[in-house]
Amino acid sequence: MNLHEIMELDQQYYMNTFGARTPVAFEKGQGMTLTALDGGVYTDYLGGIAVNALGYGHPALTQAVVEQARKLMHCSNLYYIEKQAELARLLVEQIGGPCGLTKVFFGNSGAEANEGALKLARAYFYKQGIQRYEVISAKNSFHGRTLATVAATGQSKYQAPYYPLTPGFINVEYNSMPAILNALTGHTAAILLEVIQGEGGVIEADPEYLAQVSALCKDKGLLLIVDEVQTGMGRTGKPLAIQHYDLKPHIVTLAKALGGGIPIGAVMAQEEVAQAFAPGDHGSTFGGNPLACAAGVAVVTEIMKPGFLDNVRTMGAALKWGLESLKARHGCILDVRGKGLLLGLELNAATDGKAIVQRMFEHRLLINCAAHNTLRFAPPLIIGEKEIQLLTDTLDKVLP
Ligand SMILES: *Cc1c(COP(=O)(O)O)cnc(C)c1O
């Protein structure tokens, strides 16, 4: 099929949730680049929205998936699954363990990981016979598209068509302690936050705020849930972004980069909290299946190799420096934000971020525009200096 034929089928048969997509269809990828059906080669600075952490066609990831597909793609959770056990151990030992997270449950997406986290928080109090079920989350956040995670997502554009929303969620201003204190009730169970709001425009939490939230949770016996679906798996230069803040949440969720392109999400929790899930309380048909877990094992193994996260930090700093230099030359840039390889460049109201994304696309560079008119960069973590130079040079041409 050519692009035109695909577009026609999409229009005729696919529900129109994505509107007019960027007019391109990719056939294959290698490293940082994607090749379109017409042969055009694009450099990807969005990485499938922070999913393709190892880039495209990574040999170890591809081999792990192909080998596992040959042996066994799926078997149910009625049986023990070697790759699931192996990935659980790797995640605890290498990713969550240093932050106090000792148990894992696998689902298939970020929203599902957050659903699991929310259910775990409610079960934790239910099992103690305590009537606590409310969750405080932030405005401008993004936690997914299921009914409960949409209620947690503090953006009316995602909620509007779905009233009545799942009860028990309160969305309060981000980075504001008074807003949280104001929302506390005798029924508050948990506070759910991103440490960097990704979809929300790469907005970082104030370290002081995070410390205060953490202290409040300790003081009131609330659970702290951190959504690391976008920021986790090395994206910010550390295995988890909470490590920049020395934060020790009770529950952390992962997805996006965890399978490097194969759908998988995870809930990680502290031992005592994880115990709240008893047999039958939660489950998943696909969650943690052999194929997805084989991919996860390959991804964790790669990103935890000596030097890998050093590259994320070095390249992240180089890109941030490059974006800051652009800010000195282009009055349309209001702010440069983010950590590691999750960076945002906020444009003033006179500059249409979507039009800049379009101009970059014409130069065959893929980026996107998140909330707050903010260009978002979440490239594969294998990015090198050459690609960073190409990005800043092209932005320099394209920005007014
Ligand atoms: C993408 C994202 C989600 C939702 O993940 P899905 O896999 O699309 O369900 C949840 N939280 C954050 C922070 C995200 O960036």
Side-chain angles (χ1 to χ4, degrees):
M1 274 189 264
N2 62 31
L3 176 62
H4 182 73
E5 289 162 339
I6 297 169
M7 287 167 80
E8 276 191 354
L9 293 185
D10 180 79
Q11 197 186 4
Q12 189 171 356
Y13 296 111
Y14 203 81
M15 293 191 198
N16 189 25
T17 60
F18 300 109
R21 309 186 201 212
T22 308
V24 66
F26 297 111
E27 188 179 25
K28 56 191 180 182
Q30 194 56 50
M32 283 284 297
T33 60
L34 283 164
T35 304
L37 287 174
D38 66 3
V41 177
Y42 294 76
T43 311
D44 184 7
Y45 296 95
L46 190 57
I49 316 188
V51 167
N52 297 93
L54 302 182
Y56 299 96
H58 189 281
L61 175 58
T62 308
Q63 193 193 334
V65 171
V66 168
E67 256 176 34
Q68 190 59 50
R70 284 217 175 91
K71 282 200 273 189
L72 178 68
M73 287 190 221
H74 179 80
C75 79
S76 85
N77 281 304
L78 297 173
Y79 312 106
Y80 291 96
I81 299 174
E82 184 181 2
K83 289 290 171 191
Q84 186 184 91
E86 195 182 337
L87 180 57
R89 182 181 67 177
L90 269 179
L91 280 177
V92 168
E93 285 185 354
Q94 308 217 12
I95 307 284
C99 304
L101 305 162
T102 60
K103 283 281 198 306
V104 186
F105 176 85
F106 294 120
N108 308 289
S109 67
E112 225 184 282
N114 287 330
E115 283 276 340
L118 294 165
K119 285 176 74 178
L120 181 60
R122 285 192 174 174
Y124 175 76
F125 291 107
Y126 173 83
K127 298 286 164 86
Q128 300 173 62
I130 302 173
Q131 289 256 313
R132 287 206 201 175
Y133 43 79
E134 284 173 3
V135 175
I136 300 173
S137 63
K139 292 200 165 130
N140 196 52
S141 63
F142 188 81
H143 299 296
R145 306 285 203 150
T146 62
L147 278 170
T149 58
V150 144
T153 292
Q155 298 193 54
S156 51
K157 67 172 176 180
Y158 296 116
Q159 297 178 334
Y162 303 113
Y163 280 81
L165 297 177
T166 305
F169 291 87
I170 307 169
N171 310 143
V172 305
E173 199 185 322
Y174 192 50
N175 270 333
S176 162
M177 237 5 239
I180 288 185
L181 292 173
N182 206 29
L184 279 182
T185 75
H187 296 301
T188 308
I191 298 174
L192 165 64
L193 292 173
E194 297 155 274
V195 294
I196 303 175
Q197 293 184 329
E199 303 301 306
V202 193
I203 313 274
E204 295 177 75
D206 178 353
E208 188 60 23
Y209 166 73
L210 291 177
Q212 286 174 358
V213 170
S214 178
L216 176 75
C217 287
K218 203 170 213 172
D219 184 39
K220 303 275 183 200
L222 310 177
L223 297 182
L224 178 57
I225 308 173
V226 175
D227 178 345
E228 292 242 26
V229 166
Q230 188 154 164
T231 54
M233 303 307 294
R235 172 59 50 195
T236 67
K238 300 208 183 228
L240 297 175
I242 50 173
Q243 290 171 290
H244 293 285
Y245 308 93
D246 207 17
L247 206 59
K248 298 260 182 329
H250 302 87
I251 306 175
V252 165
T253 54
L254 296 169
K256 289 199 164 87
L258 178 54
I262 300 283
I264 179 170
V267 189
M268 300 196 72
Q270 293 178 357
E271 194 65 34
E272 186 213 346
V273 175
Q275 297 301 334
F277 272 161
D281 284 346
H282 193 46
S284 170
T285 297
F286 291 121
N289 89 359
L291 189 71
C293 290
V297 166
V299 170
V300 178
T301 305
E302 287 303 311
I303 70 166
M304 295 312 287
K305 276 190 178 159
F308 188 97
L309 292 179
D310 295 330
N311 183 64
V312 176
R313 285 191 290 270
T314 310
M315 291 304 127
L319 178 53
K320 197 167 193 184
W321 185 85
L323 297 175
E324 272 160 2
S325 318
L326 288 175
K327 181 169 179 254
R329 293 153 45 76
H330 297 270
C332 65
I333 302 177
L334 292 183
D335 197 14
V336 174
R337 294 187 291 265
K339 278 192 164 30
L341 287 168
L342 179 58
L343 295 172
L345 184 148
E346 185 176 346
L347 299 166
N348 65 13
T351 314
D352 178 5
K354 298 221 159 72
I356 301 295
V357 171
Q358 173 59 29
R359 294 282 319 278
M360 294 295 281
F361 177 72
E362 286 158 14
H363 284 83
R364 300 198 164 164
L365 273 66
L366 305 176
I367 62 170
N368 94 325
C369 185
H372 287 99
N373 210 23
T374 297
L375 303 182
R376 174 176 43 178
F377 311 100
L381 304 180
I382 54 159
I383 192 170
E385 267 160 28
K386 211 175 61 194
E387 290 104 353
I388 286 175
Q389 192 67 45
L390 174 66
L391 175 60
T392 49
D393 287 352
T394 314
L395 282 167
D396 198 21
K397 270 186 238 161
V398 159
L399 287 171

